Structures are given as C-alpha cells and as structure tokens.
C-alpha cells in the first residue's frame, strides 16, 4: 500500500449558507490523501499503473465549482468521485478549508475532514 498526498489545492468558490457568500465567494484550500497499491507503478514507471494526481486535482476543482451550503456536502462529492473514477484508490481522505470565514472573529480557517474506503 502507498500514499499520495496533494496539499493546499487553492480554489476560489461560492460555498456557504449566507446569500453574500454565494455572490462574493471566498478562498478555499483542499488537501487529499489517497491510499492505493503503488507497487505496480513503482516497477513499471507507467502513469497508467498509478493514481494520476492531475485527475485528482481536476475532480477537486470541478466539485468546488458547484455551489453548496455546507463544506461537508462538497467533501462528500469529492470522496465519491475519487472512488468512482479511480479504481486503484482504496481509501481517500479530504480536508476542505474555508480561509478567513465570515464568522465574526479573526479566524484563519475552518476545516472539515472526511474519509471513505472502497467497499471490500
């Protein structure tokens, strides 16, 4: 088993329960951790034998572009797409962070973390 981590995918999106958040938007950070069997690609040196992180990045950007009230809903969509589109992935963890959230205080970010495993 191996691990692929993509840290600090930066996107501008329009998530949140407030009407203003849907109009103004804000900065987000997404981190992914993928667990997969990387032994074949370690020998073959072939992109087709591993998890393509360009594909992962595209999934994150496409799902972040779809407005949601809750970050949990966005994270769940990302998890489901990764497992549905990339059969090599056994487990995926995602952290979605809203930077400088409008919660009435000096807060750097709010983060939700979720994970899913492929059914055996």
């Amino acid at each position: 088993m191996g691990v692929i981590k993509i840290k600090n995918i930066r996107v501008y999106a329009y998530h949140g329960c407030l009407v203003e958040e849907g109009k103004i938007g804000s900065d987000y950070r997404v981190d992914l951790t993928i667990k997969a069997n990387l032994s074949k690609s370690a020998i073959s040196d072939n992109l087709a034998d591993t998890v393509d992180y360009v594909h992962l990045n595209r999934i994150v950007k496409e799902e972040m572009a779809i407005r949601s009230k809750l970050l949990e809903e966005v994270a769940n969509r990302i998890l489901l797409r990764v497992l549905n589109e990339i059969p090599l992935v056994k487990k995926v963890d995602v952290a979605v962070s809203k930077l400088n959230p409008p919660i009435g205080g000096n807060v750097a970010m709010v983060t939700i973390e979720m994970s899913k495993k492929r059914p055996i």
Side-chain angles (χ1 to χ4, degrees):
M1 192 66 64
V3 175
I4 296 173
K5 294 182 181 183
I6 304 178
K7 294 183 179 183
N8 203 17
I9 301 170
R10 301 292 293 251
V11 294
Y12 197 84
Y14 299 87
H15 307 300
C17 294
L18 302 176
V19 173
E20 295 82 16
E21 292 174 300
K23 293 178 183 175
I24 299 169
S26 58
D27 290 308
Y28 291 83
R29 169 187 171 157
V30 179
D31 300 298
L32 282 179
T33 301
I34 303 297
K35 291 190 179 177
N37 184 344
L38 303 178
S39 58
K40 184 175 181 183
S41 60
I43 295 168
S44 73
D45 196 29
N46 188 339
L47 181 60
D49 294 333
T50 192
V51 178
D52 184 354
Y53 35 86
V54 172
H55 188 173
L56 294 171
N57 187 55
R58 184 173 60 247
I59 289 171
V60 168
K61 289 188 173 189
E62 288 174 359
E63 292 305 322
M64 289 297 290
I66 301 169
R67 177 165 161 63
S68 295
K69 292 179 185 173
L70 301 178
L71 297 181
E72 292 89 328
E73 203 264 342
V74 180
N76 190 57
R77 287 198 322 262
I78 292 168
L79 294 170
L80 291 173
R81 273 198 62 192
V82 169
L83 290 174
N84 286 337
E85 294 180 21
I86 308 172
L88 192 60
V89 172
K90 302 298 181 208
K91 182 182 181 208
V92 58
D93 301 314
V94 65
V96 180
S97 303
K98 181 182 279 192
L99 307 178
N100 302 309
I103 60 174
N106 186 8
V107 178
M109 72 176 96
V110 174
T111 303
I112 63 100
E113 297 178 357
M114 295 173 65
S115 62
K116 282 195 184 294
K117 290 182 181 179
R118 183 171 304 286
I120 298 174

